Amino acid sequence: MVLHDLNEGLLADHRVANHEGIGAAEQLDLLVSVISEAAARAGSPPLLAIGVGLPGVVDRSGRIVIGPSQAGWGGLPLKGRLAAVFDCPILIENDAMAAASAEHQWGAGRGADSFVYLLGGHRTSSAIVINGRLLRGTNGAAGMVGELPELQWDGSARQLLNDAEAQGDDLLSVFVRAQGGDAIASAAVDSYLDRLSVGLAAVALAIDPELVVLGGGISRVGAQIGPALQERLHARAHIIAPRIETSPLGAEATVRGAAHLAFTAVDGELDTRMRAI
């Protein structure tokens, strides 16, 4: 959670662990407490809008159509639940789409007419900006090619860990091992990039973007994997050759994008009030 003023200055931030296995009700309580704690740290200013970025497909009413892997999120009217606690507009967006909007506003996609945002880490997803606008689609699922099982994006991070015979769930350690010459880790990373490149080529061929932005946790190893991923992408989508850049926002892109949603809502309200004067 980040709390900004109207000049986009950071007033407070608060981060807590979201442990696997807790239900939707507990996670909702956690979300409310994180927002409340961040506001308290900033002196409890009035909240003018709240933006939320989360995994899954979110329809235009703010209802989670396809929720995160935790049980109970699918169909959750999250916007209504938060509105019952906080007296301000609530904006809900898919995490990759929120991150893509942040990249377009402040990050690697700034000034780009069209790009694909690749969210990589413990989960893999993507989002599209085209003609300078975030593409959401009819159901809020545009660009989410990772939902197609044949592309093997779902579970690709776990497969990487398994292939590398890693202990625990530290993805970055696999890339460190590969960079250090570990043959098993190197082979695992190669297979991981092969899986990413198939879906990335599919979405890139659909829109012919000028740019692909590597975001999420894998942005920390963007310099290491970017050239290899670009080579695979160009080999598969050989009639186009978008460049690949690493996100400067990294894992913070989603929360920055959620904040941008809130800024947009507040700006729209202020413009409406000014025109009414």
Side-chain angles (χ1 to χ4, degrees), residues 68-272:
S69 57
Q70 292 86 354
W73 277 91
L76 182 70
L78 182 59
K79 182 175 182 178
R81 297 283 184 89
L82 291 177
V85 179
F86 301 103
D87 185 21
C88 65
I90 309 293
L91 297 310
I92 313 291
E93 186 58 278
N94 166 263
D95 56 354
M97 292 186 180
S101 67
E103 292 294 343
H104 190 244
Q105 186 73 13
W106 300 294
R110 187 173 185 179
D113 181 67
S114 63
F115 66 90
V116 175
Y117 177 81
L118 179 64
L119 174 66
H122 287 285
R123 57 181 297 273
T124 307
S125 189
S126 57
I128 295 170
V129 169
I130 190 165
N131 295 329
R133 298 177 64 87
L134 180 68
L135 184 65
R136 298 193 78 259
T138 301
N139 300 299
M144 297 178 65
V145 299
E147 296 299 313
L148 189 64
E150 289 79 2
L151 296 181
Q152 302 179 57
W153 276 16
D154 186 25
S156 60
R158 175 51 56 187
Q159 188 63 51
L160 170 65
L161 292 168
N162 292 340
D163 290 346
E165 301 176 4
Q167 302 296 319
D169 60 356
D170 184 1
L171 293 175
L172 293 180
S173 67
V174 177
F175 294 100
V176 171
R177 285 169 50 199
Q179 193 169 37
D182 185 305
I184 294 176
S186 295
V189 169
D190 285 344
S191 295
Y192 174 72
L193 295 181
D194 284 341
R195 290 191 294 274
L196 288 188
S197 68
V198 177
L200 193 54
V203 69
L205 282 167
I207 68 166
D208 191 11
E210 62 184 275
L211 172 68
V212 172
V213 178
L214 295 183
I218 62 171
S219 63
R220 295 173 62 181
V221 293
Q224 177 184 344
I225 68 173
L229 183 58
Q230 184 156 348
E231 181 180 342
R232 286 167 168 79
L233 171 60
H234 292 177
R236 295 185 185 280
H238 55 89
I239 63 174
I240 62 172
R243 70 185 189 277
I244 293 183
E245 294 187 9
T246 301
S247 163
L249 304 179
E252 301 299 314
T254 293
V255 73
R256 294 286 301 275
H260 181 57
L261 287 173
F263 283 131
T264 301
V266 173
D267 284 345
E269 176 64 21
L270 291 177
D271 287 344
T272 298

